[in-house]
Amino acid sequence: MFRSISAVALLLASICAPSFSEAATEMDAIVQIARGSKCISHEWPYRRGTAPSSYIEGMALVFARAACHPDRTDVRIVSGPESGQLAADALTVYRQEFSKLGMANDTAGVATLRHTYVLLIGLGMMESSGKFCEGRDISQCFAEANSAESGLFQTSYGVGRSNPVLMSLFADYSAGKSDCLLSSFQGHLTCRIHKSQNAKCPNETSDVTGTGPGADWQRLTKICPAFAAEYAAVVLRQHGGSSGEFNPIRKRQAEVFPACDGMLKSVQDYVQAHPDVCVGL
């Protein structure tokens, strides 16, 4: 008896698909690209110092995942051309900086995706110094679950209203549908709970605040850095402009460092030459 077409396809896939160990080797190659880049040894401005190596390695892997899945809804948003909407789109805020570096963002595609991630790397250094587990911002006394900022990029649950895909990302990662890449981002980092130094809210701490979905979001963003990065990338393009979510973007303090673009371009080239890596991502 002949097998059905679907059964044959599954059999061929099981024979031809790379093993998870092979995919892990491919992922390690991306980590090595990050480790060999000047992006990982760069001294970031505003006394942020060098980034944790695990932060740069993790961001390289998240970008690789996006490059593997260009048709994913969130990736299409982040890959879209610079909108010209100064209040909403961080690429519009940084148009002059990108132009000086010859990093055009006027067309949709992987180059614009890459440049967004370059800016995102600089933003993460300003917001958390690259620490995936950073707690909520207590300098401004954000005590409501929906407005409390947390994680690598100090985003909030409330900003999820700016685009439905943000809540879809939250739901998918909460359900364990994607790897958080925690071990890649974690390295040797740990985060302590801090007490507020603001006299207006001396009893507040950087721990999770409130209850409900907003509190669940805070927990997730601190233990699931891949989610934090993908969520922030969408926010950066949809609600990250001059009137948006990120103070370092509004003040143009997040640095666009060319060596990080070179690193991500090498990651992009590697993914295109070794599509098997997408199995592990």
Side-chain angles (χ1 to χ4, degrees):
M1 180 181 295
F2 290 105
R3 292 184 175 92
S4 67
I5 294 176
S6 59
V8 172
L10 288 171
L11 177 61
L12 289 174
S14 67
I15 295 172
C16 300
S19 68
F20 283 107
S21 61
E22 290 172 333
T25 300
E26 301 281 12
M27 289 174 63
D28 186 62
I30 291 175
V31 170
Q32 293 305 318
I33 290 172
R35 288 177 180 173
S37 168
K38 291 182 180 179
C39 184
I40 212 166
S41 59
H42 179 55
E43 288 281 339
W44 294 89
Y46 299 96
R47 301 175 64 183
R48 293 306 193 269
T50 58
S53 59
S54 56
Y55 171 60
I56 302 300
E57 294 163 15
M59 290 299 290
L61 288 169
V62 177
F63 170 74
R65 176 184 286 175
C68 281
H69 304 286
D71 294 327
R72 220 172 59 195
T73 304
D74 62 303
V75 176
R76 288 203 305 270
I77 290 171
V78 180
S79 302
E82 184 232 297
S83 68
Q85 298 178 8
L86 186 65
D89 189 352
L91 294 192
T92 302
V93 175
Y94 273 76
R95 178 186 292 169
Q96 185 175 6
E97 286 85 346
F98 281 116
S99 179
K100 287 180 179 178
L101 295 170
M103 298 166 69
N105 297 310
D106 54 348
T107 59
V110 69
T112 301
L113 173 72
R114 191 178 72 244
H115 299 162
T116 301
Y117 267 83
V118 173
L119 180 56
L120 194 62
I121 289 172
L123 175 63
M125 287 305 297
M126 287 299 302
E127 293 283 15
S128 69
S129 296
K131 297 181 73 174
F132 73 97
C133 49
E134 191 66 33
R136 65 189 177 94
D137 182 1
I138 47 176
S139 66
Q140 302 299 320
C141 301
F142 292 127
E144 299 296 327
N146 288 0
S147 60
E149 298 179 343
S150 195
L152 267 171
F153 304 97
Q154 293 293 291
T155 46
S156 67
Y157 175 78
V159 80
R161 293 188 296 267
S162 64
N163 193 291
V165 76
L166 294 170
M167 288 297 98
S168 294
L169 285 171
F170 179 40
D172 287 347
Y173 273 99
S174 295
K177 293 182 179 180
S178 294
D179 185 352
C180 289
L181 300 176
L182 176 59
S183 61
S184 298
F185 277 89
Q186 187 167 23
H188 300 292
L189 293 175
T190 57
C191 290
R192 296 185 294 110
I193 300 300
H194 299 283
K195 193 171 182 179
S196 176
Q197 300 300 310
N198 190 328
K200 295 180 179 179
C201 51
N203 296 321
E204 293 295 333
T205 73
S206 58
D207 202 359
V208 172
T209 188
T211 59
D216 294 338
W217 182 93
Q218 292 170 63
R219 294 185 187 94
L220 182 66
T221 200
K222 292 199 296 181
I223 64 171
C224 192
F227 163 70
E230 291 175 2
Y231 188 95
V234 174
V235 175
L236 201 61
R237 298 301 314 279
Q238 295 287 290
H239 193 67
S242 60
S243 299
E245 180 86 341
F246 307 108
N247 191 50
I249 297 296
R250 296 194 300 269
K251 293 184 176 180
R252 291 166 67 170
Q253 293 174 330
E255 182 181 5
V256 177
F257 186 50
C260 295
D261 184 53
M263 174 193 72
L264 295 183
K265 181 60 166 64
S266 295
V267 171
Q268 173 189 325
D269 292 343
Y270 188 86
V271 168
Q272 291 173 346
H274 301 85
D276 290 354
V277 71
C278 297
V279 174
L281 291 169

